[in-house]
Amino acid sequence: MTKKNNHKYIFVLGGVMSGIGKGIATSSIGKILQASGFRINLIKIDPYLNVDAGTMNPTEHGEVFVLDSGLESDQDMGNYERFTGITSTNDDYITSGMVYKYVIEKERNLGYKGKCVEAIPDIVNEIVRRIKLSEQEDRSDISIIEVGGTIGDYQNTMFIEAGRILKLKNPKNVLFILVSHLPVPAKVGEMKTRPTRIASQTLNSYGVQADFIIARSSVKLDKKRKEKLATSCNIPEKNIISAPDIESIYDVPINFELDKLGSKLLKSLGLKALNGIDLKEWKNFVLKSKNAKKKLNIAIAGKYFGTGNFILSDSYISVIEAIKFSSYNLGIRPVLTWLNSKDFDRATRKPSSLKKFDGIIVPGGFGESGVGGKMNIIKYARENGIPFLGLCYGMQLAVVEYARNVLEIKNANTVEIDPNTADPVIDIMPEQKKKLEKNDYGGTMRLGSYPAILKEGTIVRKIYGVDKVNERHRHRYEINPEYIQKLEEGGIIFSGKSPNGRLMEIMELSSKDHPFFVATQFHPEFKAQPLLPHPLFTGFIKACINKK
Ligand code: GLN
């Protein structure tokens, strides 16, 4: 443990462009420092004015990662939890929106006692206050703070300024790491250092000197480039870490350790790892992932894939990683196929084309588009014994599909799609109704961790191995209590319910009728970790193996 008032801060900033793996670098640094015996906490700063990530379109911003507390955060928070196993707290996520909202509300309440309130120093002070709140809440020795965006953006300057102020007060306790991109233009055939130099100079103009550079590139940095960066960016050569593209993000901490990044960071902060840096368990997992050879074909049916001419899978990153963790543990290499549910709606693709899959997942979603296609996909999985896992919307639509096609409730629907349906088997939760009437959308769903009681003798009771679980939620609609009896009599088993029995948290079909048809109102993917694969995903993958 570090001494009182000796808390350490590492700021991770991005140079040149976005999308170069700042989040993975931050997670990996967290992993290494944690493995060196220090208590760490990871903070993500998003410079946008949205108060949280909940109101953003996943195709544009990627997955919304829900914390135990219910805060709707950035997908990087998911990486932090997966790499370190730490359950993030509310204060570990900061947006400009949160900061400004707080300061403006405080001003309205005369909290500044008649003073003129300004970005500098009031916004910066509020950022520092939040960073300190987070370290206290997490009782950490070292805070690793990832500032979203790139150096040179107008939006993130206040956060870099907060870092500068912290360093000014305590120079030995604060480090800045620049994660930068070094392009190797095909026509030139040589790695270029100049963009990174400009990023470093821009940072200097803020009064901040980078202490380390993590040099992201398609290939390894050579000696010549290291020397050049060291001189032009004013950084010791040993603090320039080569970070070439590698096969798996989970290799990154191991790769950093080849350059001894952990002990270099600790040394710069005046700390020392007492028992070395122990990444044994992590290396074991990485080895398992590499040795997993047997292939399984798994389809994920969603709609947040397309962006222009590109396919993006970021919207479902936690689902994808959860599949991988359970698969690797069983020696399986999952081959994932994205099904655009809209194709199955218009019947441009026939459900029979799903025959080749060993398992199908329908993840969470919102709104009308692609819903018919999702239901056609679910129907095919149900009728043809393909292992099926439904998540949130995936469960609601599985219930609608069952009601329509098995129980012959022809108008069965969710009121999310048809508010006037004669058979609202999925209805809005009563407390949600009022919120929508007031257009109160931000952060108002049923969010975060809630318990579910598992029913004896069911598939999920067996795979979880316990009778009560806590899982994370994000929804406004629920199985309509008025239809539960009918649905149960018709063959749906609600194997997980809220403790008061009102909310249906898990549904399954009898293993006599289907090898594995399980769906959850919650999002188990948010709690799957490399070193702790999620039982539901493991159960699903096992069923896929059996089917094959
Ligand atoms: N749209 C559904 C609801 O709000 C499902 C949400 C989800 O899949 N996360 O209840």
Side-chain angles (χ1 to χ4, degrees):
M1 281 286 272
T2 51
K3 286 199 214 91
K4 235 183 159 216
N5 294 327
N6 202 21
H7 190 86
K8 309 292 185 184
Y9 305 91
I10 299 178
F11 282 83
V12 181
L13 312 172
V16 180
M17 62 183 201
S18 63
I20 51 172
K22 205 158 21 104
I24 298 302
T26 307
S27 308
S28 302
I29 291 166
K31 179 80 208 166
I32 295 169
L33 296 181
Q34 183 189 44
S36 68
F38 288 96
R39 276 191 70 111
I40 58 140
N41 72 311
L42 292 149
I43 301 176
K44 171 75 197 258
I45 287 175
D46 267 327
Y48 45 66
L49 285 174
N50 301 60
V51 173
D52 57 45
T55 50
M56 275 182 281
N57 181 339
T59 326
E60 275 178 34
H61 192 74
E63 171 188 90
V64 177
F65 187 80
V66 181
L67 305 185
D68 260 355
S69 67
L71 183 70
E72 296 169 285
S73 77
D74 181 75
Q75 59 175 8
D76 273 328
M77 298 294 285
N79 285 320
Y80 298 173
E81 290 202 354
R82 288 188 281 271
F83 273 69
T84 64
I86 294 174
T87 303
S88 306
T89 61
N90 242 12
D91 298 309
D92 294 331
Y93 183 59
I94 304 175
T95 69
S96 295
M98 278 179 201
V99 172
Y100 276 86
K101 186 167 182 273
Y102 182 91
V103 169
I104 291 169
E105 276 169 9
K106 185 171 164 187
E107 181 277 323
R108 294 287 76 188
N109 300 333
L110 275 182
Y112 292 94
K113 301 192 168 59
K115 202 168 75 63
C116 171
V117 181
E118 299 197 68
I120 300 208
D122 299 300
I123 292 294
V124 174
N125 287 346
E126 173 54 18
I127 295 166
V128 171
R129 188 187 73 86
R130 280 175 186 262
I131 291 173
K132 297 208 163 189
L133 215 60
S134 154
E135 80 201 38
Q136 283 156 12
E137 178 109 341
D138 299 328
R139 279 188 279 124
S140 72
D141 304 312
I142 309 171
S143 300
I144 303 150
I145 303 146
E146 177 187 353
V147 179
T150 310
I151 290 164
D153 292 349
Y154 290 121
Q155 297 95 308
N156 59 15
T157 49
M158 293 295 153
F159 297 103
I160 303 175
E161 175 66 2
R164 187 184 74 84
I165 295 292
L166 276 170
K167 181 149 190 158
L168 198 65
K169 292 194 176 142
N170 227 329
K172 290 207 182 85
N173 288 352
V174 182
L175 281 185
F176 290 94
I177 301 182
L178 174 62
V179 181
S180 194
H181 174 62
L182 287 97
V184 187
K187 286 268 174 346
V188 183
E190 183 199 7
M191 185 188 284
K192 292 303 203 182
T193 54
R194 189 177 159 81
T196 294
R197 196 176 92 204
I198 293 171
S200 159
Q201 286 169 344
T202 309
L203 190 58
N204 288 158
S205 75
Y206 297 174
V208 170
Q209 168 65 48
D211 300 286
F212 284 78
I213 288 184
I214 292 179
R216 287 281 299 113
S217 188
S218 52
V219 291
K220 251 178 100 85
L221 217 67
D222 60 2
K223 175 91 178 125
K224 190 165 171 200
R225 251 40 61 164
K226 266 196 185 181
E227 283 168 8
K228 227 172 153 178
L229 276 183
T231 327
S232 61
C233 300
N234 204 20
I235 295 178
E237 202 182 310
K238 64 172 188 348
N239 288 1
I240 294 177
I241 309 295
S242 169
D245 289 347
I246 36 182
E247 206 185 308
S248 152
I249 54 170
Y250 301 108
D251 272 324
V252 175
I254 300 170
N255 202 42
F256 280 175
E257 267 316 273
L258 294 179
D259 256 330
K260 302 214 169 3
L261 178 61
S263 42
K264 286 178 190 173
L265 289 173
L266 291 176
K267 196 166 171 214
S268 304
L269 290 167
L271 301 173
K272 198 168 175 253
L274 292 179
N275 299 309
I277 293 180
D278 180 10
L279 286 174
K280 208 162 70 213
E281 258 193 289
W282 190 259
K283 284 182 181 163
N284 242 338
F285 156 73
V286 171
L287 196 69
K288 256 193 223 162
S289 74
K290 291 193 173 147
N291 289 340
K293 292 275 147 60
K294 253 195 4 232
K295 289 191 176 142
L296 272 188
N297 287 314
I298 294 176
I300 302 178
K303 68 167 180 177
Y304 304 120
F305 290 129
T307 151
N309 288 337
F310 298 91
I311 296 281
L312 198 84
S313 53
D314 265 12
S315 316
Y316 304 103
I317 178 162
S318 291
V319 176
I320 295 166
E321 300 310 295
I323 297 171
K324 288 186 194 163
F325 305 149
S326 289
S327 299
Y328 296 158
N329 224 23
L330 297 165
I332 297 293
R333 174 151 304 279
V335 180
L336 304 181
T337 302
W338 314 123
L339 301 177
N340 191 337
S341 50
K342 291 175 206 160
D343 293 341
F344 289 84
D345 216 351
R346 301 180 210 109
T348 37
R349 277 191 73 178
K350 288 211 171 62
S352 59
S353 66
L354 301 170
K355 204 169 149 191
K356 59 174 182 282
F357 294 112
D358 304 310
I360 295 176
I361 294 183
V362 176
F366 293 85
E368 189 174 5
S369 92
V371 154
K374 281 186 190 171
M375 269 188 294
N376 287 337
I377 292 167
I378 295 169
K379 179 167 187 271
Y380 188 86
R382 181 177 56 75
E383 289 177 341
N384 293 278
I386 299 181
F388 168 78
L389 183 61
L391 307 171
C392 206
Y393 214 17
M395 161 158 143
Q396 296 173 354
L397 297 177
V399 169
V400 173
E401 188 279 318
Y402 196 89
R404 281 188 196 170
N405 298 322
V406 181
L407 306 182
E408 295 184 344
I409 309 175
K410 289 292 164 225
N411 293 315
N413 213 337
T414 160
V415 300
E416 182 171 357
I417 296 175
D418 180 3
N420 303 316
T421 175
D423 280 300
V425 293
I426 307 297
D427 200 2
I428 185 136
M429 289 186 272
E431 57 280 14
Q432 289 292 329
K433 216 175 200 152
K434 297 177 207 116
K435 292 176 184 167
L436 291 195
E437 277 161 11
K438 288 189 283 178
N439 279 353
D440 187 6
Y441 286 104
T444 59
M445 283 187 241
R446 179 172 179 247
L447 291 165
S449 185
Y450 288 97
I453 308 296
L454 307 184
K455 188 173 175 179
E456 198 64 55
T458 59
I459 299 176
V460 293
R461 174 74 182 75
K462 197 167 152 213
I463 52 186
Y464 269 111
V466 290
D467 53 17
K468 186 179 169 199
V469 293
N470 284 291
E471 296 281 6
R472 298 182 189 174
H473 298 69
R474 183 174 187 244
H475 63 117
R476 278 190 213 283
Y477 300 85
E478 62 168 333
I479 314 283
N480 187 340
E482 283 174 23
Y483 284 82
I484 291 170
Q485 197 186 347
K486 217 174 193 173
L487 293 167
E488 283 182 325
E489 283 166 6
I492 289 184
I493 301 162
F494 289 111
S495 45
K497 297 185 183 180
S498 61
N500 65 7
R502 204 188 77 98
L503 292 160
M504 302 301 106
E505 298 282 22
I506 312 178
M507 71 152 283
E508 59 185 62
L509 297 181
S510 161
S511 50
K512 289 189 214 103
D513 300 329
H514 194 287
F516 188 96
F517 194 100
V518 175
T520 61
Q521 184 57 76
F522 50 78
H523 293 268
E525 67 270 24
F526 292 143
K527 284 178 83 171
Q529 291 173 5
L531 305 182
L532 222 58
H534 196 287
L536 278 184
F537 281 88
T538 305
F540 169 72
I541 296 294
K542 281 185 181 163
C544 298
I545 299 172
N546 286 341
K547 189 227 163 212
K548 198 174 181 130

